[in-house]
């Protein structure tokens, strides 16, 4: 495994860890009618990874974070929540990542985040209508769908606030985070290519010069 691939995995692991920390520390409800929906910022590191390394890396990170959230942070949501997170965030990642890959400039960043967030909101409508009723296992599926449909205006509003909110935060932070990670990578490469001489080596070189 070459150094660049190892560095990529290290950076993706770091962004995954940040995503999990954000889930544990910063989450809150917005609408009392759908208090089970909590805003968190876990998608921000995933979107930053998507812009830095491409849509496939972003999708892979989405899968890892979804599973880890299920096992460590959101056990109440279970595997259903993990699948919904992967599908919704994955849709945003693929749309935003592919657009930014082809339009690697300010206009492309804005357009990709707007369309990616819109895609996420659109995808969550059928997902919530089809999957969320599974949480209401104590009643017939059709009755559960009726309840979810009645809450749909709140669900759409919540998902719009979350998707576009995280898109705005990503737009603000991406360049700063990218610079920090790239500087660290350059420093690592320099340390490998131009290692600092050991004190013994310096002394030996000095003796040779004096002879």
């Amino acid at each position: 495994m070459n150094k660049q691939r190892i560095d990529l995995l290290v950076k993706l692991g770091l962004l995954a860890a940040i995503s999990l920390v954000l889930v544990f520390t910063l989450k809150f409800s917005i609408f009392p009618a759908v208090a089970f929906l909590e805003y968190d910022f876990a998608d921000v590191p995933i979107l930053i990874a998507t812009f830095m390394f491409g849509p496939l890396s972003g999708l892979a990170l989405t899968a890892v974070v979804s599973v880890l959230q299920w096992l460590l942070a959101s056990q109440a949501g279970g595997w259903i929540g993990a699948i919904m997170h992967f599908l919704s965030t994955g849709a945003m990642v693929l749309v935003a990542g592919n657009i930014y890959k082809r339009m690697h400039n300010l206009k492309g960043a804005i357009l990709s985040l707007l369309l990616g967030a819109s895609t996420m909101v659109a995808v969550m409508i059928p997902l919530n209508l089809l999957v969320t009723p599974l949480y209401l296992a104590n009643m017939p599926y059709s009755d559960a769908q009726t309840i979810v449909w009645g809450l749909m205006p709140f669900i759409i509003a919540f998902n719009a606030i979350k998707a576009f909110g995280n898109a705005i935060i990503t737009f603000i932070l991406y360049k700063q985070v990218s610079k920090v990670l790239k500087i660290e990578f350059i420093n690592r490469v320099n340390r490998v290519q131009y290692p600092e001489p050991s004190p013994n080596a310096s002394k030996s070189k000095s003796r040779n010069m004096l002879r």
Side-chain angles (χ1 to χ4, degrees):
M1 188 178 292
N2 58 43
K3 294 182 180 66
Q4 288 188 342
R5 187 168 182 80
I6 293 173
D7 189 77
L8 170 63
L9 293 176
V10 169
K11 289 175 181 177
L12 289 176
L14 176 62
L15 290 168
I18 294 173
S19 181
L20 287 175
V21 169
L22 291 173
V23 170
F24 277 110
T25 57
L26 291 173
K27 58 182 177 180
F28 51 88
S29 299
I30 298 177
F31 301 112
V34 284
F36 57 90
L37 296 177
E38 294 183 320
Y39 191 120
D40 63 68
F41 303 92
D43 287 347
V44 173
I46 294 174
L47 290 170
I48 290 175
T50 301
F51 274 18
M52 288 189 66
F53 308 118
L56 293 182
S57 294
L59 189 64
L61 186 60
T62 303
V64 171
V65 170
S66 296
V67 173
L68 291 177
Q69 282 186 15
W70 164 32
L71 297 176
L72 302 176
S74 304
Q75 294 183 1
W79 62 270
I80 299 175
I83 291 176
M84 289 184 70
H85 180 259
F86 174 74
L87 292 176
S88 59
T89 300
M92 183 175 184
V93 160
L94 288 177
V95 171
N98 278 294
I99 292 174
Y100 189 66
K101 188 176 180 180
R102 289 165 175 76
M103 299 174 61
H104 202 73
N105 51 37
L106 179 62
K107 182 180 178 181
I110 294 173
L111 182 63
S112 65
L113 288 170
L114 287 176
L115 292 180
S118 300
T119 301
M120 183 179 191
V121 175
V123 166
M124 287 302 289
I125 296 174
L127 272 180
N128 276 288
L129 189 59
L130 295 173
V131 179
T132 302
L134 297 176
Y135 286 110
L136 304 174
N138 59 338
M139 64 175 64
Y141 182 78
S142 57
D143 293 343
Q145 272 192 320
T146 301
I147 294 175
V148 172
W149 183 252
L151 296 173
M152 194 58 70
F154 295 102
I155 294 174
I156 294 174
F158 171 86
N159 288 324
I161 292 171
K162 181 177 179 180
F164 285 97
N166 285 340
I168 292 171
I169 295 171
T170 300
F171 181 77
I172 295 170
L173 296 180
Y174 165 62
K175 285 298 182 182
Q176 288 78 5
V177 174
S178 176
K179 286 179 182 178
V180 171
L181 292 177
K182 285 180 180 178
I183 289 172
E184 175 61 23
F185 173 68
I186 292 171
N187 290 338
R188 286 187 182 185
V189 171
N190 288 338
R191 284 196 295 267
V192 171
Q193 292 182 345
Y194 310 106
E196 295 181 2
S198 65
N200 292 334
S202 299
K203 291 178 182 178
S204 176
K205 185 177 181 181
S206 300
R207 292 193 194 101
N208 293 332
M209 292 176 65
L210 291 172
R211 289 176 182 174

